[in-house]
């Protein structure tokens, strides 16, 4: 396995686009690495919308899901606003037990047809984060369903009921970007928006308090990730992505 010093430099992401839809499993998924990039893009005048498959209601051990859900939804809306995102939706799938399958693909294809983005963003859907650290089941299911839903959204003969309800096919997604993937080869400079990314994660106050440990220190955790990516991109801070191109 190559060491960080031996890894090739990241390639720059294509930023010639107008709108993106971020589809992730939980509140806080975008904030662990990608929110600073979102702040950069909204600062450029791009439109970015968030779609959460769950409400993260199983994410705080000391709170029952019914109590946790509204807190996590509220914190996500506040967090998104910090980086210039004012459209945040929740699909209401049960946290922790999301299954890849046709119902999820259909719901995501519907959202893509409705938002009609140029770029779709998700998080790492590989089995691990590189090495032996395993990925979480919801991340894998949602990421892989998102990848397939991009194609589903453009095919009028898949999920025909979507057309009946007025959701016309959308073939305009150019690329899918998976943040934090171990197969990522591209990155974007987040030096100027790093602080906004930290503030966006810190807005998940109840979640971080319940989480504890290294990942609860927003600035320290994000600085480690951002500097590591920046060292491969030639900037102080960066966010890395795996890029899958559709057209």
């Amino acid at each position: 396995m190559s060491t960080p010093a031996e890894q090739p430099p990241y390639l720059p992401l294509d930023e010639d686009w107008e709108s993106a839809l971020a589809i992730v499993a939980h509140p806080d998924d975008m904030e662990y690495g990608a929110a600073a990039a979102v702040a950069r893009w909204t600062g450029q005048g791009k439109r970015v919308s968030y779609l959460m498959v769950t409400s993260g209601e199983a994410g705080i051990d000391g709170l029952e899901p019914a109590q946790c859900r509204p807190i996590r939804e509220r914190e996500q809306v506040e967090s998104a606003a910090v980086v210039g995102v004012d459209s945040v939706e929740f699909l209401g799938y049960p946290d922790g037990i999301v299954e890849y399958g046709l119902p999820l693909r259909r719901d995501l294809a519907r959202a893509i047809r409705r938002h009609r983005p140029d770029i779709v963003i998700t998080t790492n859907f590989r089995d691990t984060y590189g090495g032996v650290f395993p990925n979480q089941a919801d991340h894998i299911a949602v990421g892989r369903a998102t990848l397939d839903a991009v194609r589903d959204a453009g095919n009028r003969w898949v999920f025909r009921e979507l057309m009946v309800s007025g959701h016309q096919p959308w073939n305009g997604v150019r690329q899918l970007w998976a943040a934090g993937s171990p197969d990522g080869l591209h990155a974007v400079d987040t030096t100027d928006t790093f602080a906004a990314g930290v503030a966006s994660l810190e807005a998940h106050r109840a979640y971080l308090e319940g989480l504890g440990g290294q990942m609860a220190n927003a600035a320290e955790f994000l600085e480690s990730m951002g500097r590591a990516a920046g060292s491969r991109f030639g900037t102080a801070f960066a966010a890395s992505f795996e890029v899958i191109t559709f057209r």
Side-chain angles (χ1 to χ4, degrees):
M1 180 181 295
S2 63
T3 65
E6 296 169 338
Q7 292 175 328
Y10 283 125
L11 301 170
L13 286 173
D14 176 9
E15 295 186 283
D16 183 19
W17 50 273
E18 295 182 1
S19 65
L21 174 63
I23 301 174
V24 296
H26 316 105
D28 80 82
D29 283 351
M30 285 297 292
E31 285 68 56
Y32 275 104
V38 171
R40 172 187 171 95
W41 296 324
T42 59
Q44 295 170 346
K46 298 177 181 359
R47 177 171 55 84
V48 181
S49 301
Y50 284 3
L51 178 67
M52 310 287 138
V53 171
T54 81
S55 295
E57 68 276 6
I60 301 178
D61 185 64
L63 279 180
E64 291 284 343
Q67 295 176 289
C68 187
R69 179 179 292 106
I71 295 172
R72 301 224 55 203
E73 289 183 354
R74 182 177 67 250
E75 289 186 343
Q76 181 58 69
V77 171
E78 294 171 356
S79 170
V82 172
V83 293
V85 174
D86 59 12
S87 173
V88 181
E89 302 171 17
F90 302 89
L91 286 182
Y93 277 71
D95 183 19
I97 53 174
V98 177
E99 293 183 292
Y100 173 92
L102 295 180
L104 180 57
R105 281 173 50 188
R106 181 188 298 110
D107 285 345
L108 300 186
R110 180 187 294 109
I112 292 168
R113 290 187 182 192
R114 181 162 48 85
H115 284 273
R116 308 179 85 77
D118 304 311
I119 302 294
V120 169
I121 302 167
T122 190
T123 53
N124 175 30
F125 53 83
R126 303 300 177 183
D127 290 340
T128 74
Y129 284 93
V132 297
F133 188 70
N135 198 353
Q136 203 258 14
D138 284 358
H139 299 161
I140 297 171
V142 170
R144 291 177 178 171
T146 300
L147 173 63
D148 290 335
V150 170
R151 289 183 291 248
D152 297 335
N155 189 334
R156 70 178 58 251
W157 306 121
V158 175
F159 304 131
R160 300 186 192 185
E161 62 271 28
L162 295 182
M163 290 184 59
V164 174
S165 62
H167 297 93
Q168 298 300 314
W170 174 246
N171 272 308
V173 177
R174 289 154 38 187
Q175 292 182 328
L176 178 141
W177 297 347
S181 169
D183 293 341
L185 298 175
H186 292 74
V188 62
D189 182 6
T190 58
T191 303
D192 292 340
T193 54
F194 176 76
V198 172
S200 186
L201 179 54
E202 289 177 338
H204 293 273
R205 291 174 293 277
Y207 176 69
L208 294 179
E209 182 179 349
L211 182 65
Q214 180 185 11
M215 290 183 68
N217 188 326
E220 184 177 295
F221 188 85
L222 293 180
E223 182 171 346
S224 175
M225 291 178 56
R227 286 196 185 281
S231 69
R232 286 183 60 184
F233 196 54
T235 59
F237 294 100
S240 64
F241 296 82
E242 178 180 353
V243 174
I244 296 171
T245 300
F246 295 94
R247 63 180 184 88

